[in-house]
Amino acid sequence: MHTFDDLVARILARAEEPGTAVIGIAGGPGAGKSTLTDALLTATRARLGRRAVGHVPMDGFHLADVELRRLGRLDRKGAPETFDVAGYAALLRRIRAGTELVYAPGFERDLEQPVAGAIPVFPETAVLLTEGNYLLLDQPGWCSVAAEIDETWYCRTQDNVRLARLVDRHIAFGKSADAARHWVDEVDEPNARLVAATAVRADLVVSVDAVMSHGV
């Protein structure tokens, strides 16, 4: 089993390589991707400096609700077809070029909307962490994202923990308990099953609960 220190060491090793390396952190909804990413950023930036390790979340490439409504996809927000996947791939390509300051979009969970120009990624960035559900998805568009990632780690956690975390998250951001459970059953879980099938393409499978409980 990989430890938190193992993961930090892999990032530090990538930082020694020329150019900007991109590490993808994939996994289903509620798998703990953001929690792991935040801990890795804290640990590696303490060693290398803040600008040396960047972070771009896939969530910043959510299509806005107004566009999802126009497309008739608002009721399945979070599915692969509800992201600007071409924009995501293009931004990763710009970052890898390492020739300019690149502004990436963030995601405001209180609003459940992307926020343009929220995240600066500097040309001297040695390693970029990017996390999201569909980094290993073998579909047009998502394959272009995968082509810009040097290695991808798949986050795995116990289903009962992941499901409880998802329901709690939806409640925290305004859904009723019944609406939260319905959304998890009808939207999050179909997406989770799709993502789980991609784990075989990962370079590394990480047990997030074990890593976070023993390594940080």
Side-chain angles (χ1 to χ4, degrees), residues 70 72 80 94 100 104:
R70 185 187 73 82
R94 286 177 63 201
E100 60 183 341

Side-chain angles (χ1 to χ4, degrees), residues 65-214:
D65 284 0
V66 63
E67 177 63 3
L68 292 176
R69 192 174 291 110
R70 185 187 73 82
L71 294 169
R73 300 174 188 171
L74 186 59
D75 62 345
R76 56 184 188 277
K77 183 177 180 177
E81 66 274 17
T82 66
F83 290 86
D84 175 17
V85 62
Y88 187 21
L91 185 128
L92 292 178
R93 198 172 305 121
R94 286 177 63 201
I95 290 171
R96 287 173 64 89
T99 58
E100 60 183 341
L101 172 64
V102 176
Y103 285 101
F107 189 75
E108 178 52 65
R109 288 208 173 272
D110 288 335
L111 300 174
E112 285 291 304
Q113 295 295 292
V115 179
I119 302 169
V121 182
F122 302 95
E124 62 266 34
T125 293
V127 181
L128 179 80
L129 304 185
T130 186
E131 106 271 1
N133 297 348
Y134 305 117
L135 308 185
L136 296 164
L137 195 61
D138 187 16
Q139 288 184 5
W142 293 103
C143 290
S144 298
V145 170
E148 303 300 330
I149 298 175
D150 295 289
E151 61 178 275
T152 303
W153 307 346
Y154 182 87
C155 294
R156 181 169 286 155
T157 195
Q158 295 179 5
D159 280 341
N160 62 324
V161 173
R162 185 178 56 79
L163 290 169
R165 186 180 292 154
L166 280 173
V167 171
D168 289 346
R169 179 190 298 171
H170 288 305
I171 292 172
F173 288 104
K175 287 184 171 64
S176 69
D178 286 344
R181 285 190 288 268
H182 179 77
W183 188 272
V184 169
D185 290 343
E186 298 299 321
V187 180
D188 288 335
E189 278 310 279
N191 293 337
R193 289 191 290 271
L194 179 65
V195 172
T198 71
V200 295
R201 288 192 281 276
D203 297 289
L204 206 67
V205 175
V206 178
S207 176
V208 177
D209 297 328
V211 164
M212 296 304 295
S213 64
H214 294 106

Side-chain angles (χ1 to χ4, degrees), residues 23-53:
I23 295 177
I25 299 177
K33 301 180 297 295
S34 296
T35 300
L36 177 62
T37 300
D38 288 346
L40 290 169
L41 286 169
T42 298
T44 54
R45 284 172 170 173
R47 298 277 297 273
L48 300 174
R50 185 170 185 83
R51 291 191 176 200
V53 187

